[in-house]
Amino acid sequence: MSSKTSEPQGPTSGDSDGKTDLKPTTEIDDVAIRFAGDSGDGMQLTGTKFTDETAMAGNDLSTFPDFPAEIRAPAGTMAGVSGFQIHFSSHDIHTPADRVDLLIAFNPAALRANLEDVRSQGMVVINSDAFTQKALTRAGYEEDPREELKTRYALVEIPLTRLNREALQGLSLSQREADRCKNFFALGLLCWLYCRPTEATERWLAGKFKGDVLQANLTTLRAGFAFGETTELFPVHYTIPSAKIEAGTYRNITGNSALAWGILAAGKQLSMPVFLGAYPITPASDVLHEVSRHHEFGIKTFQAEDEMAAVSSTIGAAFAGQLGVTISSGPGFILKQEALGLAVMVELPLVAINVQRAGPATGSPTKTEQGDLLAVLFGRHSQSPVPVLAASTPGDCFHIVLEAFHIATKYMTPVVVLSDGYLANSAEPWKIPDVDSLPRSTVNFAGRETMGADTEFEPYRRDPATLARPWAIPGTPGLEHRIGGLTKEDISGNVVYTAENHQRMVDLRAAKVARIAEDIPPLEVEGPDSGELLVIGWGGTRGAITAAVESAREDGLSVSQAYIRHLNPFPSNLKEVLTSFKHVLCPELNEGQLAMLLRSRFLVDVQSFSKVAGQPFKVQEIRERIDSFLTEKS
Amino acid sequence: MAAEVAPKLTRKDFVADQEVRWCPGCGDYSILANVQRVMPELGVPRENIVFISGIGCSSRFPYYMDTYGFHTIHGRAPAFATGAKAANPNLSVWVVTGDGDGLSIGGNHLLHTIRRNLDIQILLFNNQVYGLTKGQYSPTSALGMRSKSSPQGSIDHPVDPISYALGCGATFVARTIDVDAKHMQQVLKRAHDHKGTSFIEILQNCPVFNDGIWEDVEDRKTRAKNTLVLEHGEPLVFGSEGERKGILMQDGRPQVIDLADDDDPKERGVVIHDEKLETPSYASALATLTRPDFPLPVGVIREVEKTCYEELLEDQIKEAVDQKGAGDLHALLHSGDTWTVS
Ligand code: SF4
């Protein structure tokens, strides 16, 4: 961390927003902070608002919300702790950071649950009002940890509850209502500490609240900011210069919002109505919520009675000629597998999204994992090939939905898109794409005019280029036909059970999916395209892998990186890439599923680096594995 | 300018070129024939008709109809139909299911599809047995039924399809019999004309695994005695001449009384059938009538009006467009806080 400190600016040299700066500022280039409190303390909101302000300040950023599965776990307990981490920087960053420079803990449980992630001598800000004997006991502290903490961290104790109450005196709010605002006091304080503006938050508050509640939140936000300026607890505050990023208009986006907007965009880009069938499940429900707010796009949303109905209704809509999309997380996706097998058999286009979470069973619904790769590839009965794509950043979730629809309709196949709990809720600055530059495609339904007057419609006569069968939708005169789950005869689509036809149809479906490789860009290698070690990954671990590999290369190690966005079919140059390196290491948040695939497919000695803890990789973990790996092999 | 008149369709236009593969004597044959006969009379272009089924003997139905058809997976036909109808409300969607498909594995989908009241028809063929898997007891089988999987007799209490549909809030509930062609055709037409989900239980004989289960109502000789043919506004009277009987309600309980041929049933206090009652209690009482103490009601048990899901869905889109204008992708992507880096 580089820093330079400037002198305090006197009242005459106020900064650009007219506020007077009474304290010196120190310029730093990279900070990670974490807000932690009870799930009722508004940590996610506070974190999101700080993120918005940070984005406006022009920093690159990456966030990691980490919240409990219980909606309202008992207050003050470890189970109820909700955290929001943000890493922001004046340079390009890829992850929410392994360790934080500052933790703000609203109660003892939040402190205890998060302390180990604070870097040595980092700053720990606590709400001292919450450190009662009772609260300490609830958090599992046998004795007050504060004295001991001072030896390892810069502990700053602030009577947050009291200061907030004092700031709100005179407003007609109950004490409970007043206490609910204290997160904005903390937000104001941190905005001061890192020289963030507060305008976006104030605008947001004005749009959200009215009357005394609005006044209270604004007041305490400003009081927190002013407290920073005047208190002796913080001798300096910090500036983080804007990052040098590509020109363009940016916004913050989470993976789930990006999926939702990708779904809305698909209707526009393919000029077709979209049908979303879904059943609520963490962490995918937000996609259903966001899409449901935008019926003006003509999209039909259907909250089904269960996961099977969600996917079945979607296939029904696809049969009737719409762009069908369904979304869930692992437990729900598994329930959809049978119907997806039918979609494979009847060769109808749809997109099935799985926002993976930690399992098995209910597992940890709010925690991340990449455990479903083999399940989506091979988890249906029999031979049931589907294309599988995996998003690698929050913003990529937008583009990947468009690509999935393009593949689904061009090849008449269900397509699976994988995201994960980390991408779902993490935010990053996203360069808003120019709508005119987004890919467009047209879908041609089969029509009677394409056939001779007396010819029978043949629902399984394929396009020789793509092997896609025609999409003939109800309402089209002359193309009445039946499809279904029974084995179909090639071309006619009639039900037949001959051995020869069965084999042919299995082969054709496999060949069709394999052919999609022609539409897939070659796998790119970041770093030298041959050498000692290739670190290969997929999905939401991309940021951590990139950061680890870049740091290793900066230290002179011969390491390159590739990440696979298309997991079925694979990019056609994948084998060539794998064999250009002496060693291949594959970090995954599962027990080595991609590694297993690569080994069996290409007979390459891919070494798995597995972590299944419900948490993303830390950059340092991957970096250390790279180092130890290279040492072992040398 | 005279509109082009489409040639009138006949039953033949709805017969697919596939060999029908039900067992000889299966009740499904006559149901198929009657459905094919009714289709030309509905005034719906053939290309707008869709048959959707699940799994089971009955679910082979779409393959034999020369319309659009989709043979899906076990129990889920109502969900596929929901998607198809919601996607294109112009379609005339017919779900074909059985007692196992519809009430066992698909019971949940049936419930939710009925309560949403999409304007579709659901035909449930009830033969009280699993036919396609070769003869296990089904959710409508009588307690004690001996089958391959219940050699000592089934210990499941059966579910009654009509009561189930009423419990789900069905707006149209009817029952008919596989062999009663005329009655079935009337009921099918009424079901089609009803706006909302129409649920029809069709009593169907499975000569292979459960032969004769409906014999007393299928046999012309005993049918009049054992069925109560419902007509809106008409008294609940059954039996043939010389043996007429009526049903009245005493202390909230149905009771059978004998009627002389010249009795006026109304004067005798016989209940007048009213399909349109908003509260389902009367229809539910009818559904509990079982043999041998009572005749089995056939015909339209209930028909009431409610809004349809697919229309409300379209209304919400219109409302959103009216309020916000048609969706603008550029505006969406730029909504909220953005910043420009130059
Ligand atoms: S098993 Fe029974 S229901 Fe099935 S086709 Fe044969 S007779 Fe009909």
Side-chain angles (χ1 to χ4, degrees), chain A residues 196-215:
Chain A
R196 316 277 92 176
T198 54
E199 279 75 18
T201 304
E202 296 191 13
R203 258 202 319 277
W204 178 85
L205 283 169
K208 182 95 180 166
F209 300 111
K210 289 201 290 276
D212 279 348
V213 179
L214 168 63
Q215 203 46 53

PDB file of all heavy atoms in Angstrom, chain A residues 196-215:
ATOM      1  N   ARG A 196     -15.540   9.784   0.422  1.00  0.00           N
ATOM      2  CA  ARG A 196     -16.585   9.469  -0.572  1.00  0.00           C
ATOM      3  C   ARG A 196     -17.621  10.583  -0.519  1.00  0.00           C
ATOM      4  O   ARG A 196     -17.889  11.126   0.559  1.00  0.00           O
ATOM      5  CB  ARG A 196     -17.330   8.165  -0.245  1.00  0.00           C
ATOM      6  CG  ARG A 196     -16.491   6.980   0.181  1.00  0.00           C
ATOM      7  CD  ARG A 196     -15.919   6.240  -0.965  1.00  0.00           C
ATOM      8  NE  ARG A 196     -14.623   6.763  -1.280  1.00  0.00           N
ATOM      9  CZ  ARG A 196     -13.826   6.239  -2.217  1.00  0.00           C
ATOM     10  NH1 ARG A 196     -14.239   5.200  -2.929  1.00  0.00           N
ATOM     11  NH2 ARG A 196     -12.652   6.744  -2.478  1.00  0.00           N
ATOM     12  N   PRO A 197     -18.266  10.887  -1.629  1.00  0.00           N
ATOM     13  CA  PRO A 197     -19.406  11.805  -1.564  1.00  0.00           C
ATOM     14  C   PRO A 197     -20.600  11.092  -0.911  1.00  0.00           C
ATOM     15  O   PRO A 197     -20.555   9.883  -0.730  1.00  0.00           O
ATOM     16  CB  PRO A 197     -19.700  12.102  -3.034  1.00  0.00           C
ATOM     17  CG  PRO A 197     -19.177  10.916  -3.777  1.00  0.00           C
ATOM     18  CD  PRO A 197     -18.027  10.373  -2.971  1.00  0.00           C
ATOM     19  N   THR A 198     -21.620  11.830  -0.561  1.00  0.00           N
ATOM     20  CA  THR A 198     -22.816  11.178  -0.019  1.00  0.00           C
ATOM     21  C   THR A 198     -24.052  11.490  -0.857  1.00  0.00           C
ATOM     22  O   THR A 198     -25.157  11.109  -0.503  1.00  0.00           O
ATOM     23  CB  THR A 198     -23.083  11.643   1.435  1.00  0.00           C
ATOM     24  OG1 THR A 198     -23.130  13.066   1.442  1.00  0.00           O
ATOM     25  CG2 THR A 198     -22.032  11.147   2.398  1.00  0.00           C
ATOM     26  N   GLU A 199     -23.843  12.177  -1.972  1.00  0.00           N
ATOM     27  CA  GLU A 199     -24.998  12.637  -2.770  1.00  0.00           C
ATOM     28  C   GLU A 199     -25.883  11.490  -3.250  1.00  0.00           C
ATOM     29  O   GLU A 199     -27.102  11.558  -3.185  1.00  0.00           O
ATOM     30  CB  GLU A 199     -24.545  13.443  -3.998  1.00  0.00           C
ATOM     31  CG  GLU A 199     -24.215  14.888  -3.707  1.00  0.00           C
ATOM     32  CD  GLU A 199     -22.883  15.047  -2.997  1.00  0.00           C
ATOM     33  OE1 GLU A 199     -22.079  14.082  -3.042  1.00  0.00           O
ATOM     34  OE2 GLU A 199     -22.658  16.093  -2.382  1.00  0.00           O
ATOM     35  N   ALA A 200     -25.243  10.428  -3.752  1.00  0.00           N
ATOM     36  CA  ALA A 200     -26.054   9.342  -4.317  1.00  0.00           C
ATOM     37  C   ALA A 200     -26.930   8.733  -3.227  1.00  0.00           C
ATOM     38  O   ALA A 200     -28.096   8.411  -3.459  1.00  0.00           O
ATOM     39  CB  ALA A 200     -25.160   8.279  -4.945  1.00  0.00           C
ATOM     40  N   THR A 201     -26.367   8.604  -2.027  1.00  0.00           N
ATOM     41  CA  THR A 201     -27.151   8.050  -0.921  1.00  0.00           C
ATOM     42  C   THR A 201     -28.283   8.998  -0.551  1.00  0.00           C
ATOM     43  O   THR A 201     -29.414   8.571  -0.316  1.00  0.00           O
ATOM     44  CB  THR A 201     -26.239   7.827   0.300  1.00  0.00           C
ATOM     45  OG1 THR A 201     -25.156   6.996  -0.112  1.00  0.00           O
ATOM     46  CG2 THR A 201     -26.983   7.157   1.422  1.00  0.00           C
ATOM     47  N   GLU A 202     -27.986  10.289  -0.530  1.00  0.00           N
ATOM     48  CA  GLU A 202     -29.035  11.242  -0.175  1.00  0.00           C
ATOM     49  C   GLU A 202     -30.166  11.222  -1.201  1.00  0.00           C
ATOM     50  O   GLU A 202     -31.344  11.262  -0.851  1.00  0.00           O
ATOM     51  CB  GLU A 202     -28.440  12.653  -0.033  1.00  0.00           C
ATOM     52  CG  GLU A 202     -27.439  12.693   1.111  1.00  0.00           C
ATOM     53  CD  GLU A 202     -26.994  14.100   1.505  1.00  0.00           C
ATOM     54  OE1 GLU A 202     -27.635  15.072   1.074  1.00  0.00           O
ATOM     55  OE2 GLU A 202     -25.999  14.211   2.247  1.00  0.00           O
ATOM     56  N   ARG A 203     -29.770  11.120  -2.469  1.00  0.00           N
ATOM     57  CA  ARG A 203     -30.791  11.031  -3.528  1.00  0.00           C
ATOM     58  C   ARG A 203     -31.643   9.779  -3.330  1.00  0.00           C
ATOM     59  O   ARG A 203     -32.859   9.812  -3.439  1.00  0.00           O
ATOM     60  CB  ARG A 203     -30.090  10.937  -4.892  1.00  0.00           C
ATOM     61  CG  ARG A 203     -30.072  12.231  -5.681  1.00  0.00           C
ATOM     62  CD  ARG A 203     -29.882  12.000  -7.164  1.00  0.00           C
ATOM     63  NE  ARG A 203     -28.916  10.988  -7.525  1.00  0.00           N
ATOM     64  CZ  ARG A 203     -27.613  11.183  -7.611  1.00  0.00           C
ATOM     65  NH1 ARG A 203     -27.088  12.369  -7.334  1.00  0.00           N
ATOM     66  NH2 ARG A 203     -26.808  10.188  -7.971  1.00  0.00           N
ATOM     67  N   TRP A 204     -30.939   8.695  -3.028  1.00  0.00           N
ATOM     68  CA  TRP A 204     -31.655   7.426  -2.876  1.00  0.00           C
ATOM     69  C   TRP A 204     -32.634   7.506  -1.699  1.00  0.00           C
ATOM     70  O   TRP A 204     -33.774   7.084  -1.798  1.00  0.00           O
ATOM     71  CB  TRP A 204     -30.640   6.300  -2.668  1.00  0.00           C
ATOM     72  CG  TRP A 204     -31.294   4.972  -2.449  1.00  0.00           C
ATOM     73  CD1 TRP A 204     -31.720   4.096  -3.407  1.00  0.00           C
ATOM     74  CD2 TRP A 204     -31.603   4.368  -1.178  1.00  0.00           C
ATOM     75  NE1 TRP A 204     -32.279   2.996  -2.818  1.00  0.00           N
ATOM     76  CE2 TRP A 204     -32.226   3.129  -1.455  1.00  0.00           C
ATOM     77  CE3 TRP A 204     -31.420   4.741   0.152  1.00  0.00           C
ATOM     78  CZ2 TRP A 204     -32.656   2.268  -0.442  1.00  0.00           C
ATOM     79  CZ3 TRP A 204     -31.861   3.892   1.166  1.00  0.00           C
ATOM     80  CH2 TRP A 204     -32.461   2.670   0.857  1.00  0.00           C
ATOM     81  N   LEU A 205     -32.159   8.094  -0.591  1.00  0.00           N
ATOM     82  CA  LEU A 205     -33.020   8.226   0.593  1.00  0.00           C
ATOM     83  C   LEU A 205     -34.254   9.051   0.270  1.00  0.00           C
ATOM     84  O   LEU A 205     -35.370   8.702   0.647  1.00  0.00           O
ATOM     85  CB  LEU A 205     -32.246   8.882   1.737  1.00  0.00           C
ATOM     86  CG  LEU A 205     -31.262   7.981   2.495  1.00  0.00           C
ATOM     87  CD1 LEU A 205     -30.369   8.813   3.416  1.00  0.00           C
ATOM     88  CD2 LEU A 205     -31.988   6.905   3.293  1.00  0.00           C
ATOM     89  N   ALA A 206     -34.026  10.139  -0.482  1.00  0.00           N
ATOM     90  CA  ALA A 206     -35.138  11.032  -0.805  1.00  0.00           C
ATOM     91  C   ALA A 206     -36.182  10.325  -1.650  1.00  0.00           C
ATOM     92  O   ALA A 206     -37.377  10.610  -1.560  1.00  0.00           O
ATOM     93  CB  ALA A 206     -34.621  12.279  -1.520  1.00  0.00           C
ATOM     94  N   GLY A 207     -35.721   9.365  -2.466  1.00  0.00           N
ATOM     95  CA  GLY A 207     -36.673   8.627  -3.291  1.00  0.00           C
ATOM     96  C   GLY A 207     -37.378   7.530  -2.507  1.00  0.00           C
ATOM     97  O   GLY A 207     -38.429   7.044  -2.914  1.00  0.00           O
ATOM     98  N   LYS A 208     -36.777   7.146  -1.397  1.00  0.00           N
ATOM     99  CA  LYS A 208     -37.262   5.963  -0.696  1.00  0.00           C
ATOM    100  C   LYS A 208     -38.160   6.322   0.501  1.00  0.00           C
ATOM    101  O   LYS A 208     -39.136   5.653   0.766  1.00  0.00           O
ATOM    102  CB  LYS A 208     -36.032   5.186  -0.211  1.00  0.00           C
ATOM    103  CG  LYS A 208     -36.327   3.902   0.496  1.00  0.00           C
ATOM    104  CD  LYS A 208     -36.254   2.749  -0.468  1.00  0.00           C
ATOM    105  CE  LYS A 208     -36.562   1.449   0.237  1.00  0.00           C
ATOM    106  NZ  LYS A 208     -36.820   0.369  -0.699  1.00  0.00           N
ATOM    107  N   PHE A 209     -37.775   7.366   1.210  1.00  0.00           N
ATOM    108  CA  PHE A 209     -38.493   7.694   2.449  1.00  0.00           C
ATOM    109  C   PHE A 209     -39.104   9.087   2.379  1.00  0.00           C
ATOM    110  O   PHE A 209     -38.735   9.904   1.541  1.00  0.00           O
ATOM    111  CB  PHE A 209     -37.549   7.640   3.654  1.00  0.00           C
ATOM    112  CG  PHE A 209     -36.927   6.289   3.860  1.00  0.00           C
ATOM    113  CD1 PHE A 209     -35.565   6.098   3.641  1.00  0.00           C
ATOM    114  CD2 PHE A 209     -37.691   5.206   4.269  1.00  0.00           C
ATOM    115  CE1 PHE A 209     -34.978   4.856   3.830  1.00  0.00           C
ATOM    116  CE2 PHE A 209     -37.117   3.956   4.460  1.00  0.00           C
ATOM    117  CZ  PHE A 209     -35.752   3.789   4.242  1.00  0.00           C
ATOM    118  N   LYS A 210     -40.005   9.326   3.344  1.00  0.00           N
ATOM    119  CA  LYS A 210     -40.627  10.654   3.446  1.00  0.00           C
ATOM    120  C   LYS A 210     -40.605  11.106   4.905  1.00  0.00           C
ATOM    121  O   LYS A 210     -40.350  10.298   5.801  1.00  0.00           O
ATOM    122  CB  LYS A 210     -42.088  10.586   2.989  1.00  0.00           C
ATOM    123  CG  LYS A 210     -42.257  10.396   1.504  1.00  0.00           C
ATOM    124  CD  LYS A 210     -43.652  10.843   1.015  1.00  0.00           C
ATOM    125  CE  LYS A 210     -44.775   9.947   1.479  1.00  0.00           C
ATOM    126  NZ  LYS A 210     -44.996   8.768   0.649  1.00  0.00           N
ATOM    127  N   GLY A 211     -40.887  12.328   5.100  1.00  0.00           N
ATOM    128  CA  GLY A 211     -41.138  12.861   6.434  1.00  0.00           C
ATOM    129  C   GLY A 211     -39.999  12.638   7.410  1.00  0.00           C
ATOM    130  O   GLY A 211     -38.825  12.789   7.063  1.00  0.00           O
ATOM    131  N   ASP A 212     -40.368  12.261   8.621  1.00  0.00           N
ATOM    132  CA  ASP A 212     -39.379  12.151   9.687  1.00  0.00           C
ATOM    133  C   ASP A 212     -38.354  11.052   9.432  1.00  0.00           C
ATOM    134  O   ASP A 212     -37.194  11.180   9.816  1.00  0.00           O
ATOM    135  CB  ASP A 212     -40.079  11.897  11.029  1.00  0.00           C
ATOM    136  CG  ASP A 212     -40.606  13.203  11.632  1.00  0.00           C
ATOM    137  OD1 ASP A 212     -40.203  14.271  11.114  1.00  0.00           O
ATOM    138  OD2 ASP A 212     -41.391  13.150  12.590  1.00  0.00           O
ATOM    139  N   VAL A 213     -38.793   9.985   8.803  1.00  0.00           N
ATOM    140  CA  VAL A 213     -37.853   8.895   8.560  1.00  0.00           C
ATOM    141  C   VAL A 213     -36.761   9.353   7.585  1.00  0.00           C
ATOM    142  O   VAL A 213     -35.571   9.116   7.789  1.00  0.00           O
ATOM    143  CB  VAL A 213     -38.580   7.641   8.025  1.00  0.00           C
ATOM    144  CG1 VAL A 213     -37.581   6.518   7.754  1.00  0.00           C
ATOM    145  CG2 VAL A 213     -39.641   7.182   9.013  1.00  0.00           C
ATOM    146  N   LEU A 214     -37.183  10.073   6.542  1.00  0.00           N
ATOM    147  CA  LEU A 214     -36.209  10.622   5.603  1.00  0.00           C
ATOM    148  C   LEU A 214     -35.278  11.585   6.337  1.00  0.00           C
ATOM    149  O   LEU A 214     -34.051  11.493   6.233  1.00  0.00           O
ATOM    150  CB  LEU A 214     -36.940  11.353   4.463  1.00  0.00           C
ATOM    151  CG  LEU A 214     -36.056  12.215   3.562  1.00  0.00           C
ATOM    152  CD1 LEU A 214     -35.033  11.365   2.821  1.00  0.00           C
ATOM    153  CD2 LEU A 214     -36.908  13.004   2.547  1.00  0.00           C
ATOM    154  N   GLN A 215     -35.898  12.471   7.106  1.00  0.00           N
ATOM    155  CA  GLN A 215     -35.112  13.465   7.819  1.00  0.00           C
ATOM    156  C   GLN A 215     -34.112  12.787   8.755  1.00  0.00           C
ATOM    157  O   GLN A 215     -32.942  13.169   8.830  1.00  0.00           O
ATOM    158  CB  GLN A 215     -36.077  14.387   8.618  1.00  0.00           C
ATOM    159  CG  GLN A 215     -35.491  15.737   8.947  1.00  0.00           C
ATOM    160  CD  GLN A 215     -34.799  16.383   7.745  1.00  0.00           C
ATOM    161  OE1 GLN A 215     -35.390  16.505   6.672  1.00  0.00           O
ATOM    162  NE2 GLN A 215     -33.524  16.732   7.879  1.00  0.00           N
TER     163      GLN A 215
END
